[in-house]
Amino acid sequence: MLPITSSLQIGELAAGQALTLPIYHFKPSDDKATGPKVYIQANVHGAEVQGNAVIYQLMKQLEHCDIRGEITLVPLANPLGINQKSGEFTLGRFDPITGANWNREYLNHAIDLPTWYSEHAKLSDNELIQAYRSTLVEACQQKLRHEWGITTGHRLAVNLQIMAHGADIVLDLHTGPKSCKHLYCPEYDLAAAQFLSIPYTLVIPNTFGGAMDEAAFCPWWQLSDFAKAQGRDLAVAVSALTLELASQERVCLEDALVDAQGILAYLSHRGVIAETVAPAKMQRFGCYLKDYKKYHAPSSGLVEYLAPVGEPLTAGQPLVNLLRMDLYGTADELKTVSLPQDCVPILHFASASVHQGTELYKVMTHVFELPTT
């Protein structure tokens, strides 16, 4: 079954051209619509293109699946970022007008839960969930209609957010600069990590930082916690994950198929497709977000990145060499830098020349093995 294609206008360019997104839908027949709804997007950051390859491979697989839950896929989710070029490089991480990170523009709902819940407490769980979903979507629509207008970045993000709020499962596909595969997963949904073909998981708290995954799950986690405080056991209704699919400015269809299979295994587990797809057999490790550390360059210079991403690094082992050609002939011409504790480097800066204070590496510390069921 081929997907249904459509498009969504999310803005206008200066010369008047419409800014549109391609959208693909897989829909079950009415008698088979028993599974949760899914929303998957990729390429919110301009150079992070591998998610498009994963969506491509996923759709090729879904064409032959028995679909039980509606699936909406949005590749090329930020045409402004994708087309933001400087020479041979794609920029597209930040809005060039405001400087804001394209993935930090989503609406923080900050709903008055005591008031909202008191007005809806008599509803059944299903009715409560539908009412809350409508509240979230309407808040986004109000943002788009704001009488003073909104920025280009907010308009893009909130249009994406409306589609995400219609789903029970939200997957946002990204990559790092020079990165191994890793996953951002909310603590309440950590079991989801065992289905995806990703070795490292960052366990994140119920705190809104502006990203799509938080925009999708934080309101539902907050509702669940509030309901429990009122004596009602209400499960968190939405799962939202960010998949970091290795490095930017890279397309690998063979590797994309591996990640598409991992997503299929998760969708199979959740009943979105009728087929049974087993997850890849692999060790998976995690750390809490508070233990995800950034290391900044102690001085400027030219960097030789020594620590491979995705491989454990023992305290004291070399992390980088810093070369200072301006200090040739002195004791400071070449310095080897190490870290004071065991870690797993997850990603590092893309450039080999850095200012003092540049974020060189992000590393997981206090790493633990994730259980499987």
Side-chain angles (χ1 to χ4, degrees), residues 1-4 25-27 60 63:
M1 176 182 68
L2 290 173
I4 301 167
H25 302 273
F26 287 87
K27 294 186 177 182
K60 287 296 185 183
E63 286 181 18

Side-chain angles (χ1 to χ4, degrees), residues 70-355:
E70 183 177 344
I71 306 169
T72 300
L73 303 110
V74 183
L76 308 170
N78 180 2
L80 287 171
I82 295 162
N83 287 291
Q84 191 182 340
K85 297 281 189 176
S86 180
E88 64 184 284
F89 300 104
T90 307
L91 304 179
R93 184 171 183 82
F94 302 99
D95 183 332
I97 298 172
T98 66
N101 185 326
W102 290 112
N103 194 36
R104 298 295 183 273
E105 297 274 58
Y106 300 99
L107 178 62
N108 182 9
H109 288 285
I111 291 172
D112 178 1
L113 277 174
T115 300
W116 188 93
Y117 187 82
S118 67
E119 294 172 351
H120 298 84
K122 294 182 179 180
L123 297 177
S124 68
D125 287 357
N126 286 338
E127 291 170 337
L128 190 76
I129 288 168
Q130 291 306 316
Y132 198 60
R133 196 183 301 276
S134 296
T135 297
L136 299 177
V137 171
E138 176 56 29
C140 289
Q141 291 171 340
Q142 287 182 7
K143 180 72 173 179
L144 293 176
R145 298 192 298 264
H146 196 284
E147 61 183 347
W148 292 96
I150 60 174
T151 67
T152 302
H154 279 309
R155 181 168 297 281
L156 167 68
V158 174
N159 270 294
L160 296 174
Q161 192 172 356
I162 288 173
M163 289 188 284
H165 279 325
D168 308 296
I169 298 169
V170 176
L171 303 180
D172 193 12
L173 310 185
H174 287 259
T175 64
K178 299 296 182 180
S179 174
C180 69
K181 294 179 187 180
H182 56 290
L183 173 71
Y184 286 85
C185 182
E187 187 173 359
Y188 71 85
D189 201 24
L190 190 53
Q194 67 187 286
F195 298 97
L196 299 164
S197 303
I198 294 180
Y200 294 102
T201 294
L202 285 159
V203 185
I204 54 180
N206 188 8
T207 304
F208 181 76
M212 168 57 91
D213 56 354
E214 298 156 342
F217 73 67
C218 278
W220 295 99
W221 198 348
Q222 292 160 3
L223 176 64
S224 176
D225 284 349
F226 187 85
K228 288 176 183 177
Q230 309 307 307
R232 182 173 185 169
D233 187 11
L234 184 69
V236 182
V238 169
S239 297
L241 310 169
T242 294
L243 285 63
E244 300 278 355
L245 305 167
S247 301
Q248 63 189 26
E249 293 282 34
R250 162 188 175 269
V251 169
C252 177
L253 288 169
E254 182 179 0
D255 195 31
L257 182 57
V258 173
D259 289 311
Q261 288 287 346
I263 293 173
L264 276 179
Y266 179 57
L267 299 184
S268 170
H269 166 70
R270 293 294 306 271
V272 179
I273 58 175
E275 290 78 5
T276 298
V277 180
K281 292 183 178 180
M282 59 187 292
Q283 284 187 298
R284 295 172 175 85
F285 300 90
C287 92
Y288 288 94
L289 191 62
K290 63 183 177 62
D291 295 321
Y292 191 42
K293 304 296 185 183
K294 301 175 183 178
Y295 181 75
H296 298 87
S299 64
S300 62
L302 307 178
V303 184
E304 180 183 13
Y305 296 96
L306 299 174
V309 294
E311 296 184 16
L313 186 73
T314 303
Q317 285 187 313
L319 182 73
V320 300
N321 280 330
L322 279 172
L323 176 63
R324 289 288 298 266
M325 292 303 299
D326 60 314
L327 299 178
Y328 182 78
T330 75
D332 294 323
E333 65 183 22
L334 181 64
K335 290 183 178 180
T336 300
V337 176
S338 60
L339 295 179
Q341 67 183 111
D342 296 349
C343 66
V344 177
I346 298 298
L347 60 83
H348 67 71
F349 196 60
S351 177
S353 61
V354 300
H355 301 305

Side-chain angles (χ1 to χ4, degrees), residues 20-99:
T20 61
L21 306 177
I23 302 173
Y24 300 91
H25 302 273
F26 287 87
K27 294 186 177 182
S29 58
D30 291 341
D31 61 325
K32 292 185 177 181
T34 57
K37 293 183 179 180
V38 180
Y39 173 78
I40 303 175
Q41 68 177 29
N43 212 176
V44 165
H45 290 139
E48 300 182 11
V49 292
Q50 178 67 0
N52 296 308
V54 172
I55 286 180
Y56 170 80
Q57 295 286 37
L58 181 61
M59 290 198 296
K60 287 296 185 183
Q61 301 295 309
L62 289 172
E63 286 181 18
H64 307 287
C65 288
D66 185 356
I67 307 295
R68 298 299 174 89
E70 183 177 344
I71 306 169
T72 300
L73 303 110
V74 183
L76 308 170
N78 180 2
L80 287 171
I82 295 162
N83 287 291
Q84 191 182 340
K85 297 281 189 176
S86 180
E88 64 184 284
F89 300 104
T90 307
L91 304 179
R93 184 171 183 82
F94 302 99
D95 183 332
I97 298 172
T98 66

